[in-house]
PDB file of all heavy atoms in Angstrom:
ATOM      1  N   MET E  83      19.189   1.701   0.025  1.00 69.00           N
ATOM      2  CA  MET E  83      18.935   0.294   0.316  1.00 69.00           C
ATOM      3  C   MET E  83      17.416   0.051   0.206  1.00 69.00           C
ATOM      4  O   MET E  83      16.652   0.812   0.660  1.00 69.00           O
ATOM      5  CB  MET E  83      19.415  -0.003   1.734  1.00 69.00           C
ATOM      6  CG  MET E  83      19.149  -1.398   2.150  1.00 69.00           C
ATOM      7  SD  MET E  83      19.261  -1.708   3.943  1.00 69.00           S
ATOM      8  CE  MET E  83      20.943  -1.391   4.249  1.00 69.00           C
ATOM      9  N   ALA E  88      12.819 -11.428  -0.964  1.00 89.00           N
ATOM     10  CA  ALA E  88      12.283 -12.665  -0.420  1.00 89.00           C
ATOM     11  C   ALA E  88      11.610 -12.564   0.866  1.00 89.00           C
ATOM     12  O   ALA E  88      11.072 -13.491   1.382  1.00 89.00           O
ATOM     13  CB  ALA E  88      13.476 -13.717  -0.356  1.00 89.00           C
ATOM     14  N   ALA E  89      11.697 -11.375   1.478  1.00 91.00           N
ATOM     15  CA  ALA E  89      11.092 -11.124   2.809  1.00 91.00           C
ATOM     16  C   ALA E  89       9.586 -11.208   2.734  1.00 91.00           C
ATOM     17  O   ALA E  89       9.004 -10.799   1.707  1.00 91.00           O
ATOM     18  CB  ALA E  89      11.511  -9.818   3.335  1.00 91.00           C
ATOM     19  N   ALA E  94       7.297  -7.188  -5.297  1.00 97.00           N
ATOM     20  CA  ALA E  94       8.221  -6.793  -6.395  1.00 97.00           C
ATOM     21  C   ALA E  94       7.373  -6.299  -7.540  1.00 97.00           C
ATOM     22  O   ALA E  94       6.579  -7.086  -8.115  1.00 97.00           O
ATOM     23  CB  ALA E  94       9.112  -7.894  -6.815  1.00 97.00           C
ATOM     24  N   ARG E  99      11.071  -2.125  -8.423  1.00 98.00           N
ATOM     25  CA  ARG E  99      10.734  -1.499  -7.123  1.00 98.00           C
ATOM     26  C   ARG E  99      10.188  -2.496  -6.213  1.00 98.00           C
ATOM     27  O   ARG E  99       9.392  -3.392  -6.625  1.00 98.00           O
ATOM     28  CB  ARG E  99       9.751  -0.324  -7.327  1.00 98.00           C
ATOM     29  CG  ARG E  99      10.269   0.914  -7.990  1.00 98.00           C
ATOM     30  CD  ARG E  99       9.077   1.837  -8.248  1.00 98.00           C
ATOM     31  NE  ARG E  99       9.528   3.178  -8.550  1.00 98.00           N
ATOM     32  CZ  ARG E  99       9.804   3.548  -9.801  1.00 98.00           C
ATOM     33  NH1 ARG E  99       9.682   2.798 -10.826  1.00 98.00           N
ATOM     34  NH2 ARG E  99      10.159   4.854 -10.025  1.00 98.00           N
ATOM     35  N   VAL E 101       8.133  -2.913  -2.507  1.00 98.00           N
ATOM     36  CA  VAL E 101       7.271  -2.247  -1.591  1.00 98.00           C
ATOM     37  C   VAL E 101       6.761  -3.294  -0.562  1.00 98.00           C
ATOM     38  O   VAL E 101       6.322  -4.283  -0.966  1.00 98.00           O
ATOM     39  CB  VAL E 101       6.064  -1.533  -2.259  1.00 98.00           C
ATOM     40  CG1 VAL E 101       5.212  -0.833  -1.160  1.00 98.00           C
ATOM     41  CG2 VAL E 101       6.538  -0.543  -3.267  1.00 98.00           C
ATOM     42  N   GLY E 103       4.163  -4.532   2.124  1.00 98.00           N
ATOM     43  CA  GLY E 103       2.784  -4.346   2.793  1.00 98.00           C
ATOM     44  C   GLY E 103       2.812  -5.079   4.071  1.00 98.00           C
ATOM     45  O   GLY E 103       3.475  -6.037   4.274  1.00 98.00           O
ATOM     46  N   LEU E 106      -0.804  -3.689  10.629  1.00 95.00           N
ATOM     47  CA  LEU E 106      -0.374  -2.908  11.752  1.00 95.00           C
ATOM     48  C   LEU E 106      -0.706  -3.600  13.109  1.00 95.00           C
ATOM     49  O   LEU E 106      -0.158  -3.234  14.122  1.00 95.00           O
ATOM     50  CB  LEU E 106      -0.961  -1.468  11.724  1.00 95.00           C
ATOM     51  CG  LEU E 106      -0.432  -0.670  10.627  1.00 95.00           C
ATOM     52  CD1 LEU E 106      -1.206   0.631  10.543  1.00 95.00           C
ATOM     53  CD2 LEU E 106       1.056  -0.392  10.870  1.00 95.00           C
ATOM     54  N   PRO E 114      15.477  -4.111   8.636  1.00 93.00           N
ATOM     55  CA  PRO E 114      15.567  -2.693   8.692  1.00 93.00           C
ATOM     56  C   PRO E 114      14.131  -2.042   8.667  1.00 93.00           C
ATOM     57  O   PRO E 114      13.214  -2.610   8.107  1.00 93.00           O
ATOM     58  CB  PRO E 114      16.351  -2.281   7.463  1.00 93.00           C
ATOM     59  CG  PRO E 114      16.158  -3.411   6.519  1.00 93.00           C
ATOM     60  CD  PRO E 114      15.980  -4.676   7.342  1.00 93.00           C
ATOM     61  N   GLU E 131       9.204   6.333  13.817  1.00 96.00           N
ATOM     62  CA  GLU E 131      10.529   6.952  13.721  1.00 96.00           C
ATOM     63  C   GLU E 131      10.894   7.283  12.290  1.00 96.00           C
ATOM     64  O   GLU E 131      11.936   7.889  12.069  1.00 96.00           O
ATOM     65  CB  GLU E 131      11.565   5.963  14.279  1.00 96.00           C
ATOM     66  CG  GLU E 131      11.339   5.715  15.788  1.00 96.00           C
ATOM     67  CD  GLU E 131      12.322   4.694  16.351  1.00 96.00           C
ATOM     68  OE1 GLU E 131      13.300   4.374  15.647  1.00 96.00           O
ATOM     69  OE2 GLU E 131      12.049   4.195  17.456  1.00 96.00           O
ATOM     70  N   ARG E 135       3.087   9.142   5.902  1.00 98.00           N
ATOM     71  CA  ARG E 135       1.932   9.906   5.463  1.00 98.00           C
ATOM     72  C   ARG E 135       0.718   9.077   6.023  1.00 98.00           C
ATOM     73  O   ARG E 135       0.747   7.773   5.977  1.00 98.00           O
ATOM     74  CB  ARG E 135       1.713  10.080   4.026  1.00 98.00           C
ATOM     75  CG  ARG E 135       2.872  10.754   3.309  1.00 98.00           C
ATOM     76  CD  ARG E 135       2.892  12.247   3.487  1.00 98.00           C
ATOM     77  NE  ARG E 135       3.993  12.788   2.788  1.00 98.00           N
ATOM     78  CZ  ARG E 135       5.172  13.050   3.295  1.00 98.00           C
ATOM     79  NH1 ARG E 135       5.497  12.673   4.514  1.00 98.00           N
ATOM     80  NH2 ARG E 135       6.165  13.605   2.551  1.00 98.00           N
ATOM     81  N   ARG E 143     -13.398   0.196   3.118  1.00 95.00           N
ATOM     82  CA  ARG E 143     -13.885   1.351   2.296  1.00 95.00           C
ATOM     83  C   ARG E 143     -12.912   1.810   1.313  1.00 95.00           C
ATOM     84  O   ARG E 143     -11.933   1.092   1.037  1.00 95.00           O
ATOM     85  CB  ARG E 143     -14.354   2.467   3.260  1.00 95.00           C
ATOM     86  CG  ARG E 143     -15.381   2.091   4.257  1.00 95.00           C
ATOM     87  CD  ARG E 143     -16.708   2.384   3.803  1.00 95.00           C
ATOM     88  NE  ARG E 143     -17.710   1.912   4.763  1.00 95.00           N
ATOM     89  CZ  ARG E 143     -18.648   2.641   5.232  1.00 95.00           C
ATOM     90  NH1 ARG E 143     -18.792   3.923   4.866  1.00 95.00           N
ATOM     91  NH2 ARG E 143     -19.520   2.109   6.109  1.00 95.00           N
ATOM     92  N   ASP E 147     -10.218  11.016   0.788  1.00 97.00           N
ATOM     93  CA  ASP E 147      -9.865  12.077  -0.149  1.00 97.00           C
ATOM     94  C   ASP E 147      -9.072  11.400  -1.250  1.00 97.00           C
ATOM     95  O   ASP E 147      -7.931  11.093  -1.103  1.00 97.00           O
ATOM     96  CB  ASP E 147      -9.059  13.124   0.606  1.00 97.00           C
ATOM     97  CG  ASP E 147      -8.627  14.295  -0.358  1.00 97.00           C
ATOM     98  OD1 ASP E 147      -8.590  14.081  -1.569  1.00 97.00           O
ATOM     99  OD2 ASP E 147      -8.294  15.341   0.205  1.00 97.00           O
ATOM    100  N   ALA E 152      -4.175   9.719  -4.287  1.00 98.00           N
ATOM    101  CA  ALA E 152      -3.351   9.537  -5.531  1.00 98.00           C
ATOM    102  C   ALA E 152      -2.013  10.155  -5.385  1.00 98.00           C
ATOM    103  O   ALA E 152      -1.034   9.702  -5.814  1.00 98.00           O
ATOM    104  CB  ALA E 152      -4.141  10.144  -6.730  1.00 98.00           C
ATOM    105  N   GLY E 176      -6.934  -5.667   2.730  1.00 97.00           N
ATOM    106  CA  GLY E 176      -7.861  -4.903   1.907  1.00 97.00           C
ATOM    107  C   GLY E 176      -7.343  -3.556   1.463  1.00 97.00           C
ATOM    108  O   GLY E 176      -7.175  -3.350   0.233  1.00 97.00           O
ATOM    109  N   LEU E 182      -1.459  -1.311  -2.951  1.00 98.00           N
ATOM    110  CA  LEU E 182      -0.403  -1.989  -3.696  1.00 98.00           C
ATOM    111  C   LEU E 182      -0.833  -2.149  -5.117  1.00 98.00           C
ATOM    112  O   LEU E 182      -0.015  -2.037  -6.046  1.00 98.00           O
ATOM    113  CB  LEU E 182      -0.065  -3.266  -3.086  1.00 98.00           C
ATOM    114  CG  LEU E 182       0.736  -3.288  -1.787  1.00 98.00           C
ATOM    115  CD1 LEU E 182       0.790  -4.687  -1.113  1.00 98.00           C
ATOM    116  CD2 LEU E 182       2.142  -2.685  -1.971  1.00 98.00           C
ATOM    117  N   PRO E 192      -1.286  -3.387 -16.419  1.00 98.00           N
ATOM    118  CA  PRO E 192      -2.612  -2.921 -16.872  1.00 98.00           C
ATOM    119  C   PRO E 192      -3.605  -2.882 -15.739  1.00 98.00           C
ATOM    120  O   PRO E 192      -3.705  -3.881 -14.911  1.00 98.00           O
ATOM    121  CB  PRO E 192      -3.008  -3.982 -17.893  1.00 98.00           C
ATOM    122  CG  PRO E 192      -1.673  -4.552 -18.411  1.00 98.00           C
ATOM    123  CD  PRO E 192      -0.784  -4.562 -17.142  1.00 98.00           C
ATOM    124  N   VAL E 197      -5.164  -6.175  -9.638  1.00 98.00           N
ATOM    125  CA  VAL E 197      -5.576  -6.941  -8.415  1.00 98.00           C
ATOM    126  C   VAL E 197      -5.027  -8.344  -8.543  1.00 98.00           C
ATOM    127  O   VAL E 197      -4.501  -8.883  -7.506  1.00 98.00           O
ATOM    128  CB  VAL E 197      -7.117  -6.895  -8.322  1.00 98.00           C
ATOM    129  CG1 VAL E 197      -7.500  -7.815  -7.207  1.00 98.00           C
ATOM    130  CG2 VAL E 197      -7.596  -5.457  -8.025  1.00 98.00           C
ATOM    131  N   ALA E 198      -5.136  -8.996  -9.644  1.00 98.00           N
ATOM    132  CA  ALA E 198      -4.626 -10.364  -9.830  1.00 98.00           C
ATOM    133  C   ALA E 198      -3.102 -10.364  -9.543  1.00 98.00           C
ATOM    134  O   ALA E 198      -2.593 -11.307  -8.920  1.00 98.00           O
ATOM    135  CB  ALA E 198      -4.976 -10.874 -11.157  1.00 98.00           C
ATOM    136  N   HIS E 205      -0.612 -11.196  -1.497  1.00 96.00           N
ATOM    137  CA  HIS E 205      -1.499 -12.052  -0.622  1.00 96.00           C
ATOM    138  C   HIS E 205      -2.703 -12.425  -1.458  1.00 96.00           C
ATOM    139  O   HIS E 205      -3.296 -11.621  -2.095  1.00 96.00           O
ATOM    140  CB  HIS E 205      -1.905 -11.258   0.576  1.00 96.00           C
ATOM    141  CG  HIS E 205      -2.499 -12.046   1.640  1.00 96.00           C
ATOM    142  ND1 HIS E 205      -3.814 -12.575   1.533  1.00 96.00           N
ATOM    143  CD2 HIS E 205      -2.048 -12.507   2.863  1.00 96.00           C
ATOM    144  CE1 HIS E 205      -4.120 -13.331   2.634  1.00 96.00           C
ATOM    145  NE2 HIS E 205      -3.080 -13.239   3.417  1.00 96.00           N
ATOM    146  N   GLU E 210     -10.225  -6.626  -0.766  1.00 96.00           N
ATOM    147  CA  GLU E 210     -11.335  -7.364  -0.148  1.00 96.00           C
ATOM    148  C   GLU E 210     -12.694  -7.085  -0.603  1.00 96.00           C
ATOM    149  O   GLU E 210     -13.605  -7.842  -0.499  1.00 96.00           O
ATOM    150  CB  GLU E 210     -11.295  -7.135   1.431  1.00 96.00           C
ATOM    151  CG  GLU E 210     -10.093  -7.708   2.026  1.00 96.00           C
ATOM    152  CD  GLU E 210      -9.974  -7.494   3.498  1.00 96.00           C
ATOM    153  OE1 GLU E 210     -10.360  -6.282   3.954  1.00 96.00           O
ATOM    154  OE2 GLU E 210      -9.603  -8.369   4.236  1.00 96.00           O
ATOM    155  N   GLU E 219      -8.807  -0.681 -10.266  1.00 96.00           N
ATOM    156  CA  GLU E 219      -8.941  -0.775 -11.787  1.00 96.00           C
ATOM    157  C   GLU E 219      -9.050   0.531 -12.484  1.00 96.00           C
ATOM    158  O   GLU E 219      -8.743   0.687 -13.680  1.00 96.00           O
ATOM    159  CB  GLU E 219     -10.086  -1.704 -12.151  1.00 96.00           C
ATOM    160  CG  GLU E 219      -9.819  -3.166 -11.845  1.00 96.00           C
ATOM    161  CD  GLU E 219     -11.037  -4.028 -12.004  1.00 96.00           C
ATOM    162  OE1 GLU E 219     -12.157  -3.505 -12.148  1.00 96.00           O
ATOM    163  OE2 GLU E 219     -10.867  -5.267 -11.973  1.00 96.00           O
TER     164      GLU E 219
END
Side-chain angles (χ1 to χ4, degrees):
M83 177 195 299
R99 286 173 166 90
V101 181
L106 292 171
E131 297 176 15
R135 305 281 182 270
R143 306 266 175 130
D147 182 339
L182 289 170
V197 171
H205 194 287
E210 295 175 317
E219 289 172 348

